[in-house]
Amino acid sequence: MDTQFLEFTDKNDRPALINVRNITSVVVYTTPNEEVHIYVIGDKESFVTVKETYEEVRSKIAMVTGGSIF
């Protein structure tokens, strides 16, 4: 099995590599400002706030998982 990482930009303009197998959910928060959080295996604080839009995150995940996002 290959380990696949996706690269995102965090809210502080730093690159973030995330193992796609460790992603548990992607959530868009709209208040007070819109933010996209990528949650990973760990505790409730295990997430990265990214600058990419939800659609961009979704597309990247779909690319490496064979396109199956329902």
Side-chain angles (χ1 to χ4, degrees):
M1 288 190 182
D2 293 334
T3 301
Q4 297 171 321
F5 287 86
L6 295 173
E7 185 172 9
F8 297 97
T9 303
D10 78 3
K11 67 179 180 180
N12 297 312
D13 287 322
R14 299 177 298 207
L17 290 176
I18 298 176
N19 183 332
V20 71
R21 292 187 183 162
N22 292 338
I23 296 174
T24 59
S25 59
V26 177
V27 179
V28 178
Y29 292 95
T30 57
T31 54
N33 298 314
E34 186 167 305
E35 292 184 333
V36 177
H37 291 196
I38 299 174
Y39 287 86
V40 295
I41 295 171
D43 61 26
K44 66 179 181 175
E45 298 299 321
S46 297
F47 67 89
V48 177
T49 303
V50 297
K51 288 193 163 190
E52 287 83 359
T53 65
Y54 174 80
E55 286 303 318
E56 291 169 325
V57 171
R58 186 174 187 260
S59 293
K60 284 185 176 186
I61 293 170
M63 253 187 337
V64 299
T65 60
S68 47
I69 295 180
F70 301 97

